[in-house]
Amino acid sequence: MERFWLVLAIFAFFLLCVWGMYVGWRRKARSQSVQVPPFPAIPSDAGDVLLESTGVYLATTFAGEWQNRIVTRGAGLRTGAVWRLHDGGVAVERGGAPDFWIPREAVTGIRRDTKIAGKVMGTDALLVITWRLGDAGLDTGFRGDDLDDYPQWIEQLKIKGGAQ
């Protein structure tokens, strides 16, 4: 009978931990919904696709704070994704999570990186776009299936977007 109570106590502790994480995630989302405006929707007239890459959308964080994940409005969900570059910006199409648009004029930088919230790689295997949304500076990270696409992304967004 002692074993039953021990197992029950461990299970109850586990449930308490899961509940605490859920409450913390919701609280963080609520506080960030004031700091970060809604992400722009992909325009219906985005134009021709200049460049396309498939891979995994990793996270969006506050610019320069690689561990401070944005969780509001579904931005904290890691999903399979397709990134499409258009003349006006980048369409981030995510499976099972809201899609969003990064306007080209909002892009302030693009780089290869080794880390973003929840993912650390030994090489520069991540593509990170730094952009402005309202008053918030954001970093959006992507792990492409084909890393050879990254130089094209960097070149396209630097030339036309003026990103550094």
Side-chain angles (χ1 to χ4, degrees):
M1 195 64 171
E2 282 181 32
R3 184 177 295 232
F4 171 76
W5 291 113
L6 180 61
V7 169
L8 188 61
I10 291 171
F11 184 69
F13 178 73
F14 173 75
L15 289 179
L16 183 65
C17 289
V18 170
W19 179 77
M21 288 187 293
Y22 173 75
V23 169
W25 187 272
R26 298 277 304 190
R27 184 174 294 141
K28 186 173 185 175
R30 242 188 336 269
S31 71
Q32 286 178 349
S33 67
V34 175
Q35 297 172 312
V36 180
F39 285 25
I42 299 172
S44 57
D45 60 344
D48 294 334
V49 176
L50 305 175
L51 193 56
E52 180 176 312
S53 293
T54 60
V56 178
Y57 164 85
L58 298 169
T60 296
T61 64
F62 287 102
E65 301 177 31
W66 71 274
Q67 291 183 326
N68 193 0
R69 180 189 308 257
I70 305 291
V71 299
T72 189
R73 300 181 187 93
L77 303 173
R78 182 184 300 186
T79 61
V82 177
W83 278 23
R84 290 188 175 93
L85 178 64
H86 301 270
D87 282 328
V90 179
V92 181
E93 299 175 12
R94 304 184 302 152
D99 300 337
F100 63 94
W101 177 255
I102 301 174
R104 189 182 286 266
E105 63 272 4
V107 174
T108 59
I110 183 168
R111 68 184 183 280
R112 293 180 79 141
D113 209 332
T114 59
K115 60 194 178 303
I116 197 158
K119 189 70 165 177
V120 176
M121 307 286 290
T123 61
D124 289 342
L126 308 178
L127 185 64
V128 178
I129 296 177
T130 302
W131 58 295
R132 302 235 19 109
L133 181 60
D135 292 334
L138 305 175
D139 284 339
T140 297
F142 179 72
R143 169 68 163 97
D145 292 335
D146 186 2
L147 304 184
D148 294 334
D149 290 348
Y150 290 3
Q152 295 170 354
W153 279 95
I154 292 168
E155 190 63 30
Q156 286 284 334
L157 284 174
K158 275 188 177 179
I159 290 173
K160 294 187 180 176
Q164 298 300 316

